[in-house]
Amino acid sequence: MATGTSPKPASLTGFILHLHPRTVPADTIRFTLSFGLGGMSATLFLILLFTGILQLLSYSAAVDSAHQSIIEMYAAGSLAGFVRNIHHWAGNLLVIVCVLHLLRVYLTGAADRTRRLNWLIGICLLLLVLFANFTGYLLPWDQLAYWAVTIFTNMAGYVPLVGAWLSEVLRGGGEVGPTTLATFFAIHVGLVPSLMVILLIFHFWLIRKAGGLVRDQDLPLERISAMPALISREAAVGLGLTSLLLLFAALVDAPLADIANPGESPNPAKAAWYFLGLQELLLHLHPTFAICIIPLLMLALLALLPFITGTNLPPGIWCGGDNGWAHAAAAWGIGLGAAIPLIMLDDLVLKSADGPVRAVPWISRGLVPLAAIAAALWLVYRLLRRRRSSRPESVMILVMLIFGMLCGLTAAGVWLRGAGMALTLPL
Ligand code: HEM
Ligand code: HEM
């Protein structure tokens, strides 16, 4: 006769419950703490895995058949086109949701001592999401894909010392061609998703190890059962997002241009939207600064943010409390608003009057603007500190200013650049 409790049969509910602790602090399941953005990223990733695997049934990764295989996905009676739409929109949405998740983590003071390893893992995840989108972008082998990848791999060529090697490795040769498509396909369906799965397991484990989400330590600790309180909320966010995505994918087809033609570049030839901020920067600054020094500096600062003493916002409270959120929103708005006039000033006035240092472009278009931006940010910081803003709040305002500028550069690249990359009005 069996003694003790017999093991329960495995079930989906059991698996989901095992991903969570038995109880969670009641205040951490408040929707307005996380806005469910981590859960949304996880949902989108699962959708991408599922629709990606389904697409393997109809997609062909060879230059003479890739474009045709996509056209055939939209044949009457086939669901493959709908699956492609879902995959395309989910991939693009994941970039936005991931960036918003990063912002919420920072603005609720969750990039603290106990969670900074997870912050670094998160940054690797964001880079992988961008890389997955970038490699996926080439697969339809249309004019958009071919030229966006040509432009990006050209941009990589500007990295000092290793640039030529880097763009050749990315292309698998001198030009974007059959080897590039085969390499991107292997990286897209094999390497990137595998790395993401490994990092995500680590990401979730570290959240549990930190005792759940960040919380305001001044609130009384009341623990409630994760089932149903947390799980039902997660299900609502996941199912709500999935329904909206399916609806959108049913109404709006993913773009598909004519088959790639290496002999005829579209005008304007643009990178994918998430790299348009970089492409815009390249129109103003020396390539080494636009493609290498400034992005690496920003990435390093972002990664190191939780390691710089005195920059962490109070835990579990948005933007440090009081009017913090209004200051953060204003800083973002000013950054966004300042980017467009600065772009116009450079295009319409400064480019034609670089002055005596014009002969040395890495000074006039590199060191000088970088020093001017750094000095302006330092001045803003000193001013805020003098007006008795705390150190974490002053740093937050700088972060939001820079983020606003990045959004402004991207918006200008998407809407304000026309033929020959000249400034135009959006139609
Ligand atoms: C595919 C990408 C990602 C997925 C699927 C993901 C998933 C999640 C989930 C489900 C949570 C818990 C719930 C929530 O906070 O909403 C979480 C928390 C967290 N994530 Fe992510 N994440 C991703 C990217 C990132 C990025 C880009 C960062 C930052 C650089 C990041 C940093 C963190 C941190 C520090 C926490 C703990 C927050 C806290 O304790 O309050 N994650 N993530
Ligand atoms: C984070 C994960 C992923 C992201 C962000 C992503 C993103 C993308 C994007 C943006 C495209 C281009 C879609 C288009 O405009 O046509 C694409 C294409 C494709 N992806 Fe993914 N993907 C991911 C994971 C996967 C996985 C796991 C697979 C398969 C195992 C996969 C298979 C494919 C295939 C076959 C295509 C070519 C068909 C097409 O262009 O629609 N993807 N992906």
Side-chain angles (χ1 to χ4, degrees), residues 118 140 157 200 217 222 276 385 412:
N118 219 5
L200 278 172
Q217 300 295 330
E222 185 205 341
L276 278 180
R385 294 292 282 139

Side-chain angles (χ1 to χ4, degrees), residues 134-356:
F134 169 62
T135 47
Y137 205 91
L138 183 68
L139 302 187
W141 201 250
D142 62 350
Q143 278 287 75
L144 284 173
Y146 182 88
W147 288 100
V149 172
T150 301
I151 287 167
F152 187 84
T153 44
N154 276 346
M155 293 199 311
Y158 290 123
V159 173
L161 306 177
V162 292
W165 171 83
L166 188 66
S167 78
E168 197 158 326
V169 166
L170 280 172
R171 290 174 176 169
E175 303 265 309
V176 174
T179 324
T180 327
L181 184 61
T183 318
F184 274 39
F185 179 68
I187 294 176
H188 185 78
V189 305
L191 186 67
V192 177
S194 316
L195 284 177
M196 283 188 75
V197 168
I198 295 169
L199 286 185
L200 278 172
I201 292 172
F202 204 23
H203 197 57
F204 296 146
W205 178 69
L206 284 173
I207 297 169
R208 275 198 75 166
K209 215 170 156 255
L213 295 199
V214 71
R215 56 183 301 275
D216 179 356
Q217 300 295 330
D218 292 338
L219 293 177
L221 177 61
E222 185 205 341
R223 297 195 74 92
I224 53 169
S225 172
M227 180 73 176
L230 175 60
I231 313 262
S232 58
R233 280 173 169 77
E234 282 177 350
V237 167
L239 293 175
L241 177 72
T242 309
S243 327
L244 288 178
L245 182 67
L246 294 192
L247 188 68
F248 191 78
L251 296 175
V252 187
D253 281 344
L256 182 68
D258 291 339
I259 189 165
N261 178 357
E264 188 197 328
S265 149
N267 190 4
K270 292 191 183 184
W273 69 266
Y274 33 84
F275 290 137
L276 278 180
L278 279 188
Q279 199 182 354
E280 181 63 41
L281 218 52
L282 193 57
L283 293 174
H284 303 279
L285 300 182
H286 186 276
T288 308
F289 282 77
I291 298 305
C292 193
I293 296 178
I294 292 184
L296 284 184
L297 214 63
M298 277 171 58
L299 191 64
L301 280 177
L302 188 69
L304 292 178
L305 204 54
F307 297 83
I308 307 171
T309 320
T311 54
N312 205 40
L313 289 160
I317 307 166
W318 272 91
C319 308
D322 295 329
N323 284 330
W325 68 270
H327 297 162
W332 178 78
I334 292 172
L336 181 78
I340 311 288
L342 280 176
I343 287 171
M344 290 171 69
L345 178 75
D346 191 43
D347 263 28
L348 305 176
V349 183
L350 297 181
K351 268 187 189 161
S352 47
D354 262 355

